[in-house]
């Protein structure tokens, strides 16, 4: 099975409240595993929500960390 290609929109235009790990990692220019480690250790700049066992990264926090106007 081929890997999914991510086609994220700019954070300034994002309408969802949270993003899945692959899209959040893309915007932060970090590996997905880095975000998973932040979640596990609780030491990253953003804390994810857990929805049905999956990580959901708040768009407002991503914008804050990256300095994107809300």
């Amino acid at each position: 099975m081929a890997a999914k290609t991510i086609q994220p929109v700019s954070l300034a235009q994002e309408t969802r409240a949270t993003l899945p790990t692959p899209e959040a990692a893309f915007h932060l220019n970090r590996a997905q595993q880095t975000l998973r480690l932040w979640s596990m250790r609780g030491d990253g700049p953003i804390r994810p929500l857990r929805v049905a066992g999956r990580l959901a990264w708040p768009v407002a926090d991503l914008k804050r960390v990256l300095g994107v106007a809300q």
Side-chain angles (χ1 to χ4, degrees):
M1 180 179 238
K4 275 186 166 179
T5 302
I6 300 172
Q7 297 293 338
V9 299
S10 111
L11 279 179
Q13 297 174 341
E14 185 61 66
T15 58
R16 295 175 288 179
T18 61
L19 296 179
T21 300
E23 291 182 47
F26 173 85
H27 287 295
L28 293 168
N29 196 28
R30 296 289 181 261
Q32 293 178 37
Q33 190 60 23
T34 300
L35 275 67
R36 292 184 189 105
L37 285 171
W38 289 349
S39 173
M40 181 184 71
R41 294 178 180 161
D43 65 356
I46 301 173
R47 301 243 176 169
L49 305 171
R50 290 193 180 270
V51 179
R54 299 200 180 259
L55 299 176
W57 300 86
V59 171
D61 290 347
L62 290 166
K63 287 179 178 181
R64 177 184 48 81
V65 167
L66 295 172
V68 175
Q70 293 191 23

